[in-house]
């Protein structure tokens, strides 16, 4: 006899992913499928079989450049490649932080699975790099502390709301397994959220909360990268979503974030689709790098 036939409320599967319902929003399945195909095209390129380390390194550089651009430091790729000194304030500081975060993200996969909040604290520590007062680095802001994130003009949640929602996000990630293997749409077990959905929620929530006094956008995009890599969707980190977010533009990024913050089904679906477009554009960028290497032009 089933629970429904006994008049009881059916229980969700023991391992049900609390974010899985977002994968059922209109248009999200199409975004997930489109992302998977774009990622598969890069991984299937013949250059990836021989020179994947080079593609990963180039994707890291281009991803850092894109993330810095969204934080107000829109430097040419060759300038980022050429520079070695990122001291001082302003744009060099933002580019240096983006580069450090890109390097650090790959080292935090196991920490992220066990304690997302500890991983976020580490990301902020790396991003700040001495640019913020020592007692504010690596921890969520306290009541009365200011926050700087020029791209995001939304109202800033107070410290108590930030603390509660950060804890809720961590619990959601732990309940969903943090970053499960997502080796294709068909490979996911029933009840699991696609990696794209989880990455979009992490990214959107961190941007909405701006939990730290500085570098929130940079940290949010690095966290998105960690989810995409750790999930198995992009294990070699060759599909930098940051490239796509930058290419789509700051206005579109902010508008999509408004949809996430609204909490409406349409708004959430639009944000997830935006993040999906960004991953696809990052995959396209790396595919172009593969083609250039194959021609001997790069």
């Amino acid at each position: 006899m089933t629970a429904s036939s006994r008049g009881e409320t059916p229980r969700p599967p023991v391992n049900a992913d609390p974010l899985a319902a977002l994968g059922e929003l209109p248009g999200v399945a199409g975004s997930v499928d489109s992302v998977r195909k774009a990622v598969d095209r890069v991984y299937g390129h013949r250059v990836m079989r021989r020179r994947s380390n080079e593609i990963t390194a180039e994707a890291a550089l281009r991803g850092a450049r894109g993330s810095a651009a969204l934080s107000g430091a829109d430097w040419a790729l060759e300038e980022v490649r050429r520079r070695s000194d990122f001291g001082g304030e302003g744009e060099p500081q933002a580019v240096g932080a983006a580069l450090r975060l890109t390097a650090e993200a790959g080292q935090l996969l196991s920490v992220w699975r066990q304690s997302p909040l500890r991983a976020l604290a580490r990301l902020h520590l790396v991003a700040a790099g001495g640019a913020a007062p020592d007692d504010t680095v690596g921890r969520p802001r306290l009541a009365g502390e200011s926050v700087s994130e020029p791209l995001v003009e939304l109202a800033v949640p107070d410290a108590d709301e930030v603390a509660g929602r950060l804890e809720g996000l961590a619990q959601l990630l732990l309940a969903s397994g943090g970053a499960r293997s997502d080796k294709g749409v068909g490979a996911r077990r029933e009840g699991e959220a696609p990696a794209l959905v989880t990455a979009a929620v992490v990214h959107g929530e961190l941007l909405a909360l701006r939990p730290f006094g500085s570098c929130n956008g940079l940290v949010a995009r690095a966290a998105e990268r960690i989810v995409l890599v750790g999930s198995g969707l992009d294990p070699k980190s060759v599909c930098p979503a940051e490239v796509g977010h930058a290419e789509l533009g700051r206005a579109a990024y902010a508008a999509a974030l408004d949809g996430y913050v609204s909490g409406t089904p349409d708004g959430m679906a639009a944000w997830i689709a935006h993040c999906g477009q960004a991953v696809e554009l990052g995959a396209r960028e790396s595919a172009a790098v593969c083609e250039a290497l194959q021609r001997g032009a790069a």
Side-chain angles (χ1 to χ4, degrees), residues 22-39 41 182 185 188 194-197 200 228 233 266 268-281:
L22 296 178
E24 305 302 319
L25 292 174
V28 170
S31 293
V32 169
D33 188 46
S34 186
V35 165
R36 179 69 265 171
K37 289 176 180 176
V39 173
R41 281 194 292 271
D182 186 20
V185 176
R188 286 186 291 107
L196 172 64
V197 169
L228 293 171
L233 176 64
D266 286 348
M268 293 292 291
W271 170 249
I272 294 168
H274 182 87
C275 291
Q277 279 185 279
V279 177
E280 288 187 60
L281 289 169

Side-chain angles (χ1 to χ4, degrees), residues 56-207:
T56 296
E58 188 64 20
L61 185 72
R62 294 176 185 232
R65 193 217 72 82
S67 191
L70 288 168
S71 289
D74 193 2
W75 289 14
L77 179 62
E78 291 310 313
E79 177 68 7
V80 178
R81 196 191 305 279
R82 181 187 65 81
R83 286 282 289 267
S84 59
D85 178 15
F86 297 97
E89 299 182 355
E91 293 187 5
Q93 187 179 89
V95 176
L99 288 165
R100 291 193 300 274
L101 282 172
T102 299
E104 186 71 17
Q107 309 301 314
L108 289 175
L109 296 177
S110 61
V111 177
W112 180 267
R113 291 189 182 99
Q114 297 167 15
S115 176
L117 297 185
R118 188 154 60 92
L120 289 172
R122 174 62 185 171
L123 288 173
H124 186 247
L125 182 67
V126 168
D134 288 347
D135 62 347
T136 68
V137 173
R139 65 157 173 79
R141 54 190 167 80
L142 304 177
E145 292 181 345
S146 62
V147 59
S148 174
E149 184 56 49
L151 173 63
V152 182
E153 298 179 354
L154 300 167
V156 180
D158 64 32
D160 288 340
E161 182 179 351
V162 167
R165 285 173 63 177
L166 274 181
E167 183 61 33
L169 177 64
Q171 292 304 316
L172 276 175
L173 292 169
L174 293 172
S176 67
R180 294 191 179 112
S181 177
D182 186 20
K183 302 196 181 295
V185 176
R188 286 186 291 107
R189 291 177 295 178
E190 185 178 356
E192 286 185 356
L196 172 64
V197 169
T198 304
V201 168
V202 167
H203 186 170
E205 190 70 359
L206 292 175
L207 276 181

Side-chain angles (χ1 to χ4, degrees), residues 245 248-257 271 274:
H245 287 303
L248 291 167
R250 296 178 71 176
Y253 189 60
L257 178 62
W271 170 249
H274 182 87

